[in-house]
Amino acid sequence: MLEIEKHIASIWTLYGQHQLGRTFNLPELDDWDWDIPQAGPGIDVLGEIAGLRVLDLGAGVGRHATHLSTLGAHVTAVDASPTQHQRALTRYPDAPGLRFVCADAVDHLRKAEPYDLIYSISGVPFLDPHRLLPALANGLKPGGRLVFSALHTNSSGHGPSDSVTARPEILRLPGTDTEHQLPMWVLEPQLWEDLLVDHGLIMETVTTIGSLRADQPLSYRLYAARRPERIRSRARTSAPPPPHAALGVGIIVHGPDGVLLGRHRRGTWEVPGGSMEPGETFIETAIRELAEETGLIAEPTDVQVLGTLLDHVDGVLRLTVPALITRWSGTPRELEATIGSWRFWSLDALPQPLFVPSSQCLTAWKQELPIDHPTADFHPYATHYCSAEGEERGFAEPCSATPGPVLGWPCRGRSR
């Protein structure tokens, strides 16, 4: 819990201690209200609550929670103040369908099973929205509702803040002139709406609850929101991450005359390949790089993606995806200044030295090849046996056919 919220909880503990020592007790609810009696909507805003798991956030003495339990809801009433919690237990020791919990609201929400309905009568503004709202959003079942009231204009006429910051408000001990300052997040309605939406909730209504006295500026707002039925995901940040990985495709072109290798200007022999471009699939990268480096043309159904090689080099994670091509059109040509001398080499007479990533791709394809190279973790893609179409194209069984055009060629035949 944040220090500012610990201070708020301590003030409410003093408040509860004061109330425990008084003979006066609030009457039971005749009519449901949100902060101002006889003003604003009543209990109907909660909808049908019988049978629902309900959380009362900042329950205080528990009058509202107890009322809902008598209507058939299964209510958990949470308050962070030990003395407020004691008041509730003393007043309602055996209420059926009602459980009182003394806990920080966020801690409770993180541990509890999600609720059908969470409501709060002026409890939400005493907690930092940036800490509370993520827990509230996940504390609701998909389709669950959040309903809470929040101070809008105080008794002195001070309206809401236009920034998400706490400000001091006055809590007077009942029956005395003793006042305590405690921080509250008194926010513009648009700020509350933006915060709720940012945390994945859907706004339903915002209702004004104003004082019934013409000379009293006190007012509240009642917010109703809902968690969507579907789970949302958060978009990545637009800022590029620090470089920590390199991703490329190694292309094994294999035919009757062997495997295609080119000589790099550094002196190593390599399979065609290169880095992925934004928006490409592995198959699209293999087709593009093959054409750019050798002039050979392959179709998407000519490419079999074998898996992923993981290797660490000088603190950088290297990911290489070997792709097998056994059908193409054209004749290899020297199209780039860095690599040429393209020719097919028999698997039992490969040239040396081979480029390490090319070596790793070749042994991922055929483990029995007598090639020495640094080890790399190979994670093959799931395989199944393909129809005669795949066999006629020269793919060894089992062949990769997962999942569709992103990772492997789509098997068009009958599985057997």
Side-chain angles (χ1 to χ4, degrees), residues 4 12 30-31 80 92 99 110 140 167 173 176 181 186 235 256 282-283 317 338 340-341 349 353 362 387 404:
I4 188 173
W12 280 111
D30 289 327
D31 293 309
Y92 304 106
R99 181 171 68 108
R110 287 172 177 168
L140 287 168
R167 76 181 191 196
L173 297 184
T176 75
Q181 277 197 349
V186 183
F282 295 144
I283 288 176
L317 176 62
T338 57
S341 302
L362 289 169
S387 69

Side-chain angles (χ1 to χ4, degrees), residues 325-338:
I325 295 178
T326 57
R327 188 168 67 185
W328 63 88
S329 61
T331 302
R333 292 176 289 143
E334 296 187 12
L335 299 179
E336 294 187 355
T338 57

Side-chain angles (χ1 to χ4, degrees), residues 248-299:
V249 174
I251 308 161
I252 302 167
V253 181
H254 182 247
D257 298 324
V259 65
L260 182 65
L261 297 170
R263 190 174 188 277
H264 197 277
R265 64 184 179 187
R266 291 183 300 236
T268 56
W269 289 90
E270 306 179 6
V271 299
S275 300
M276 295 184 70
E277 293 186 353
E280 283 187 331
T281 65
F282 295 144
I283 288 176
E284 290 167 344
T285 299
I287 292 171
R288 176 182 56 78
E289 287 287 351
L290 182 66
E292 291 177 355
E293 292 188 355
T294 71
L296 299 182
I297 304 300
E299 298 298 326

Side-chain angles (χ1 to χ4, degrees), residues 58-207:
V61 74
R63 293 192 307 154
H64 291 80
T66 303
H67 184 70
L68 289 187
S69 72
T70 64
L71 298 178
H74 306 286
V75 185
T76 299
V78 172
D79 203 292
S81 164
T83 52
Q84 292 285 75
H85 176 66
Q86 185 58 50
R87 290 179 67 203
L89 288 177
T90 301
R91 180 162 177 166
Y92 304 106
D94 301 308
L98 177 60
R99 181 171 68 108
F100 290 106
V101 176
C102 184
D104 170 63
V106 175
D107 290 343
H108 175 79
L109 285 163
R110 287 172 177 168
K111 298 173 183 176
E113 291 296 318
Y115 290 93
D116 300 297
L117 170 68
I118 299 175
Y119 76 95
S120 178
I121 300 174
S122 287
V124 167
F126 289 106
L127 296 167
D128 183 347
H130 293 303
R131 193 172 79 94
L132 175 62
L133 291 181
L136 274 177
N138 286 324
L140 287 168
K141 292 180 180 179
R145 297 181 68 235
L146 169 67
V147 183
F148 70 94
S149 59
L151 183 65
H152 181 76
T153 302
N154 65 19
S155 297
S156 300
H158 297 146
S161 302
D162 58 4
S163 63
V164 186
T165 54
R167 76 181 191 196
E169 290 291 341
I170 299 298
L171 176 67
R172 180 178 292 108
L173 297 184
T176 75
D177 293 328
T178 304
E179 295 181 344
H180 292 280
Q181 277 197 349
L182 74 173
M184 286 182 67
W185 280 265
V186 183
L187 309 182
E188 288 277 5
Q190 189 60 55
L191 273 181
W192 279 119
E193 292 186 51
D194 291 343
L195 285 167
L196 293 167
V197 171
D198 286 346
H199 287 88
L201 301 178
I202 298 172
M203 285 301 305
E204 291 183 336
T205 58
V206 181
T207 306

